[in-house]
């Protein structure tokens, strides 16, 4: 009996020892697992920290590249704008140079033509031919022409600037100085344009009429007649308008001009309206054009 008790006690002690060992091993395993978790977590945190640092560095680099691209785009736009401006300046300068060359050539042609006329001119006194004009006279004529050209160009600039009264004075000065020739004809035509712009129709009509009669074969004869037709048309003086349109169409020198084609079209419209009126059809009544004086007329 004692032996049985002792045996059972021994078994109990053994079981308690085993249980204790199991608990120790379990605790040991837990400690090992915790160390592993701590280590893994530390490694993960370190890796995340490195990734975040790398990400920040990449973002900074991307921002830097983006800023460089934007700066490059802005610089490219500025360069294109500068190239465009330079191109326009070169084009404008080229046009100005061409205009200057044309003006110089025109003046030289005028001077040479005038010189030839002056040299060929003979002064007849008492029916006897005299010597040609002296070189001094020729130089004075050339200087007069150059001065008139300069005044004419200034007056034309004043006209395009809206200074019509000032331009009229300049053109008038040139006309009174030259009296004859292409420059005088052009000055007379521009005088008429100035008067038209300041709403002085009657004076403008006199100027254009004078031009068409004084220079019937000149370059401005057809435009002057067309201006007269337009002025009478604006006043609803249809008969006078028809008269000048027909006069222009009858001039052989006007056949190849733009005024010829326009005159034909306007006259055709007038004749069609007259036919409709004669047939009893209703046509739009003519309303006189009322022009307000331009700002340059002040």
């Amino acid at each position: 009996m004692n032996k049985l008790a002792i045996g059972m006690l021994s078994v109990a002690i053994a079981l308690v020892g085993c249980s204790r060992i199991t608990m120790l091993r379990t605790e040991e395993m837990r400690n090992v697992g915790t160390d592993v978790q701590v280590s893994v977590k530390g490694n993960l945190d370190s890796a995340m920290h490195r990734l975040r640092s790398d990400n920040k560095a990449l973002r900074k680099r991307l921002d830097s590249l983006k800023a460089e691209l934007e700066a490059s785009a802005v610089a490219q736009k500025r360069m294109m704008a500068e190239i465009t401006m330079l191109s326009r300046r070169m084009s404008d300068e080229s046009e100005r140079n061409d205009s200057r060359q044309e003006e110089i050539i025109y003046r030289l042609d005028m001077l040479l033509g005038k010189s030839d006329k002056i040299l060929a001119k003979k002064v007849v006194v008492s029916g006897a031919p005299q010597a040609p004009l002296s070189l001094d006279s020729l130089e004075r004529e050339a200087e007069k022409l150059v001065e008139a050209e300069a005044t004419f160009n200034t007056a034309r600039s004043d006209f395009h600037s809206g200074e019509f009264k000032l331009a009229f004075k300049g053109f008038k000065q040139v006309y009174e100085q030259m009296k004859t020739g292409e420059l005088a004809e052009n000055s007379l035509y521009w005088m008429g344009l100035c008067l038209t712009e300041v709403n002085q129709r009657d004076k403008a009509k006199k100027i254009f009429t004078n031009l068409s009669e004084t220079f019937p074969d000149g370059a401005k004869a057809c435009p002057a007649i067309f201006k007269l037709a337009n002025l009478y048309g604006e006043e609803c003086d249809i008969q006078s308008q028809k008269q000048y349109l027909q006069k222009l169409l009858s001039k052989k020198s006007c056949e190849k001009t733009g005024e010829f084609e326009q005159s034909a079209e306007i006259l055709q419209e007038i004749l069609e309206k007259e036919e409709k009126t004669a047939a009893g059809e209703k046509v739009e009544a003519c309303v006189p054009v009322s022009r307000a004086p331009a700002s340059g007329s002040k």
Side-chain angles (χ1 to χ4, degrees), residues 188 192 201-216 220-221 224-225 227-229 231-232 244 247:
L188 202 59
R201 298 171 182 270
D202 292 337
K203 290 183 179 180
K205 285 188 285 188
K206 289 180 181 178
I207 291 289
F208 289 130
T209 300
N210 182 19
L211 190 156
S212 63
E213 293 174 353
T214 306
F215 304 95
K220 295 298 183 183
I225 297 172
K227 288 289 184 183
L228 284 166
L231 287 171
Y232 281 108
Y244 282 103
K247 181 178 180 180

Side-chain angles (χ1 to χ4, degrees), residues 75-103:
Q76 187 176 5
K77 287 181 180 179
R78 288 178 179 174
M79 186 179 297
M80 290 299 297
E82 290 177 0
I83 291 173
T84 302
M85 288 179 64
L86 287 173
S87 177
R88 288 177 180 174
R89 287 178 182 174
M90 289 178 64
S91 178
D92 293 341
E93 188 64 27
S94 177
E95 289 179 0
R96 282 195 292 269
N97 288 333
D98 291 341
S99 299
R100 289 170 186 167
Q101 290 178 1
E102 290 178 0
E103 185 176 351

Side-chain angles (χ1 to χ4, degrees), residues 52-79:
R52 286 171 182 170
S53 298
D54 293 341
N55 191 26
K56 286 181 180 180
L58 286 173
R59 284 186 178 180
K60 287 182 179 179
R61 181 58 179 163
L62 286 173
D63 291 339
S64 177
L65 289 173
K66 184 178 179 182
E68 290 177 4
L69 287 173
E70 289 177 352
S72 177
V74 171
Q76 187 176 5
K77 287 181 180 179
R78 288 178 179 174
M79 186 179 297

Side-chain angles (χ1 to χ4, degrees), residues 260-288:
F260 186 90
E261 295 180 3
Q262 294 180 64
S263 297
E265 292 176 0
I266 295 172
L267 184 60
Q268 180 66 28
E269 291 176 2
I270 292 174
L271 294 175
E272 288 177 357
K273 283 185 178 181
E274 289 181 345
E275 289 179 0
K276 290 180 179 180
T277 302
E281 296 182 27
K282 187 176 181 180
V283 296
E284 185 178 355
C286 179
V287 179

